[in-house]
Amino acid sequence: MKKVLYVLLGIFFAACYDDKGSYDYHDVNETTIEGINGSYNVTMGVTTLKIDPKVTMTMADPEDTTRFQYEWRANVAYNSTVLLGTTRTLDYPVKLDPRSYTLYFRVIDRQTDLVAVATASLNVGAPYSRGILLIGENREGEADVQMLAMSTDTVLCRDLLADSGLPVLRDPVDVIHTGYNSNDKCIKLWVLTKSQAYSMDRKTFKGNETDVFSKLLYLSQSYDSDFVPVDIIPRIKDNLGNVASTYNRAVVCNNGYIFVGSSVLMGGDYYIDPVNREESNPNVWLKAKPYLLYSLKKYNGGIVWYDETNERFMRVKSSYDSFSKTMNDVEGDPFDWDQRKTGRTMVYGENTFNTDGGSTNGNSFALLKDGSGEFYIYKFYVSSSVAKRDAYTISSSLAIDFDKADFYAFSSRRTVVFYAVGSRLYAYDYNKGNEKCYLLEDFGEDQITMLKCDTQIEPSANPVYVATYNNANGGTLRKYIQDMNPDKVEVTPVSNSCWTGLTKIKKMSWRAAN
């Protein structure tokens, strides 16, 4: 039974000096309210709050709407009140801003001015605060963002860009939440496309055409091109939304420019001149491949990147640097940083939680290809210093259609690189002397549109996510667990982790809070 507070309205009590002792007594219509919980947790734009309280009265019919008026209100003390409904039952699609409220249910007796009140705690969460962010294309070829919002249940939030306030976008690249940060100015929610990057409102997913990356730049000179990010690091490294550094950040843009920044130095998420240049030749800009390589667990501002202009790996030691440096090669090393003698070029890069060689905070992998179509894997550790760990040659006779792959993903737990060719998912074990290739699954008419080894939601398990698409049914996202049998590579689908009716997924990322 809900405790009820009675309030008498519109009565002025005056003292009476001439008390004759004559009183009229009337029975009070006692009201009882049941069926309202002590608290409710809802999500803005997702949840419909439905409450069907039982109202009983000792002297009247609660369904008499000519006498009784009902009100549901959400109150913020000393601030505001919002009317949610005027019927006994509440059926309210939640549009309240995310915060805590007191929910009031009032039964007003127009005849006596008595009001019965029941209250509850109402906690409104942001719809996009926790879950898997997905960016891709809808059936019209427009950029589309969806989210598998996860609280007590998993709810698919659709068409997040449709009502965002941004124009129709195309060529989606990524959607990134930058994770927890002690400085709120540094917490960003980015939608990246080929032509522009937009910083979105973290609670409402609203955007503005003026909230773009270039507004964060304080440049000492003018440049001929715009700066549109394709990757922003460090990425979230665990289910709670933590990152490898709360005050260091780096950005690589689609024109090959790299920015590094420190919130300690800049007072927020701001950047000065690019660092993709050498101190000895500061006016010559080197084009970077779109991969920033660093340690996922601990990021001190140092990165390794690939100089496409000169076919070599370069290093930025910290977020306070203004230039990039070359790295020395030593005879007997598993590979060279300078690739000009080998005729190889980088085609893909990925950061993992792999700890081979004592790399506590996670090795990085680079996939290279030479002029004859042969592929090579370089494994190295980016920390306070950079250490080469190993190199592997992909056997073209074993790795079926490796040169035709649309996507690659490196396992953190095994010597395995997964790759996708059309509708087929493969795994190649590059363990020296035991190289093997496996066709894991053929999705038939469904083309693979994304492949990812998770390092954010369950980094220790490192599950594999595969997105597919067909015109009839739309997109599907599947989760697989990696089997640890050293003699064979297998993945097992997770039965309750297959989501259908999605967009044509290009990228996925995790978000844990606002």
Side-chain angles (χ1 to χ4, degrees):
M1 183 179 294
K2 193 72 178 175
K3 184 178 180 181
V4 178
L5 172 67
Y6 290 98
V7 181
L8 184 63
L9 302 179
I11 304 296
F12 176 76
F13 293 94
C16 180
Y17 291 97
D18 187 16
D19 186 353
K20 303 298 184 180
S22 177
Y23 303 96
D24 289 327
Y25 294 92
H26 301 281
D27 292 332
V28 174
N29 176 38
E30 295 185 3
T31 301
T32 302
I33 301 173
E34 298 176 287
I36 297 179
N37 298 333
S39 63
Y40 294 89
N41 297 308
V42 297
T43 305
M44 181 189 73
V46 175
T47 309
T48 296
L49 181 58
K50 296 184 178 183
I51 306 176
D52 186 6
K54 180 182 179 182
V55 179
T56 56
M57 297 178 176
T58 57
M59 299 178 61
D61 180 4
E63 300 300 325
D64 182 0
T65 57
T66 61
R67 175 175 175 178
F68 296 103
Q69 174 185 345
Y70 294 98
E71 276 189 2
W72 294 89
R73 288 186 176 273
N75 283 15
V76 177
Y78 310 109
N79 190 315
S80 63
T81 180
V82 179
L83 181 65
L84 307 183
T86 57
T87 58
R88 180 182 61 80
T89 59
L90 180 65
D91 190 350
Y92 172 67
V94 178
K95 299 178 182 179
L96 296 167
D97 290 337
R99 64 178 305 170
S100 296
Y101 299 83
T102 300
L103 178 66
Y104 285 87
F105 174 58
R106 307 201 311 164
V107 183
I108 304 169
D109 189 338
R110 296 186 179 96
Q111 180 175 308
T112 64
D113 288 334
L114 279 173
V115 180
V117 181
T119 65
S121 298
L122 178 62
N123 301 305
V124 180
Y128 321 118
S129 62
R130 181 180 177 84
I132 299 175
L133 289 164
L134 305 170
I135 190 167
E137 293 177 335
N138 60 22
R139 295 183 184 275
E140 289 72 41
E142 301 166 348
D144 187 20
V145 174
Q146 298 178 331
M147 185 172 183
L148 293 167
M150 297 177 177
S151 53
T152 53
D153 296 312
T154 299
V155 177
L156 176 61
C157 302
R158 299 179 181 271
D159 305 321
L160 299 188
L161 290 178
D163 298 319
S164 67
L166 295 177
V168 173
L169 305 178
R170 295 189 180 274
D171 301 315
V173 172
D174 211 337
V175 56
I176 301 171
H177 186 271
T178 57
Y180 282 119
N181 198 300
S182 56
N183 185 345
D184 187 71
K185 294 180 181 178
C186 294
I187 306 174
K188 302 287 186 181
L189 176 58
W190 290 103
V191 168
L192 311 183
T193 71
K194 187 176 180 180
S195 60
Q196 193 52 270
Y198 298 94
S199 178
M200 312 297 290
D201 185 280
R202 304 196 306 270
K203 291 183 178 180
T204 64
F205 216 92
K206 299 295 183 182
N208 190 298
E209 291 186 70
T210 63
D211 291 335
V212 296
F213 176 73
S214 59
K215 290 188 68 174
L216 306 179
L217 302 179
Y218 292 85
L219 307 175
S220 64
Q221 65 184 69
S222 59
Y223 296 82
D224 294 333
S225 61
D226 196 7
F227 297 105
V228 181
V230 291
D231 196 9
I232 301 171
I233 66 162
R235 293 294 188 105
I236 289 173
K237 67 174 183 176
D238 62 26
N239 186 270
L240 298 176
N242 294 307
V243 291
S245 174
T246 58
Y247 54 86
N248 295 301
R249 191 161 290 165
V251 179
V252 60
C253 297
N254 59 10
N255 56 6
Y257 282 76
I258 297 174
F259 296 89
V260 297
S262 168
S263 59
V264 174
L265 178 66
M266 299 296 293
D269 194 19
Y270 305 109
Y271 306 86
I272 52 177
D273 289 321
V275 296
N276 50 303
R277 55 178 175 167
E278 294 181 272
E279 189 170 11
S280 60
N281 205 354
N283 295 318
V284 175
W285 300 100
L286 310 171
K287 186 178 181 180
K289 290 281 190 178
Y291 308 104
L292 298 176
L293 303 171
Y294 72 104
S295 296
L296 284 177
K297 288 186 180 180
K298 186 177 181 181
Y299 173 56
N300 63 0
I303 58 172
V304 168
W305 59 278
Y306 192 83
D307 171 15
E308 185 179 344
T309 305
N310 296 294
E311 300 295 351
R312 59 184 176 175
F313 290 92
M314 302 286 287
R315 183 189 182 197
V316 179
K317 192 172 183 179
S318 79
S319 292
Y320 301 97
D321 285 356
S322 301
F323 305 95
S324 296
K325 299 182 182 298
T326 58
M327 295 177 286
N328 295 326
D329 292 314
V330 178
E331 187 175 352
D333 281 353
F335 61 88
D336 290 339
W337 296 120
D338 192 330
Q339 290 295 300
R340 283 174 287 191
K341 294 180 181 179
T342 67
R344 301 170 187 173
T345 189
M346 182 179 177
V347 295
Y348 179 71
E350 185 174 347
N351 302 300
T352 75
F353 283 101
N354 176 280
T355 59
D356 293 349
S359 303
T360 308
N361 297 314
N363 280 314
S364 298
F365 289 84
L367 183 64
L368 290 90
K369 177 183 178 181
D370 66 20
S372 64
E374 296 296 322
F375 286 82
Y376 309 86
I377 296 172
Y378 295 170
K379 177 170 62 179
F380 51 92
Y381 187 43
V382 184
S383 186
S384 55
S385 59
V386 181
K388 301 171 184 176
R389 293 302 187 214
D390 214 336
Y392 309 85
T393 301
I394 304 292
S395 172
S396 56
S397 62
L398 287 176
I400 303 167
D401 290 338
F402 196 87
D403 60 324
K404 299 181 179 64
D406 303 299
F407 309 101
Y408 304 96
F410 281 90
S411 170
S412 292
R413 308 185 71 193
R414 304 190 59 177
T415 56
V416 171
V417 55
F418 299 94
Y419 65 101
V421 182
S423 63
R424 301 186 303 278
L425 175 65
Y426 292 94
Y428 180 77
D429 189 339
Y430 55 85
N431 184 24
K432 292 178 181 177
N434 297 288
E435 294 90 343
K436 294 178 183 177
C437 185
Y438 304 85
L439 173 60
L440 299 178
E441 191 158 354
D442 189 337
F443 296 97
E445 296 300 318
D446 293 10
Q447 298 295 299
I448 298 173
T449 63
M450 186 211 70
L451 179 61
K452 180 181 177 66
C453 287
D454 170 47
T455 56
Q456 297 185 311
I457 310 169
E458 301 168 276
S460 59
N462 198 218
V464 183
Y465 285 83
V466 182
T468 61
Y469 184 84
N470 68 55
N471 291 327
N473 302 315
T476 299
L477 181 66
R478 300 172 175 88
K479 174 184 173 183
Y480 297 83
I481 297 298
Q482 296 187 50
D483 187 87
M484 296 307 293
N485 180 355
D487 299 321
K488 189 176 182 180
V489 177
E490 293 179 308
V491 292
T492 304
V494 180
S495 59
N496 62 344
S497 297
C498 178
W499 301 275
T500 59
L502 305 176
T503 188
K504 188 176 184 180
I505 300 169
K506 299 294 184 182
K507 287 286 183 68
M508 64 170 277
S509 62
W510 177 246
R511 174 177 183 179
N514 275 328

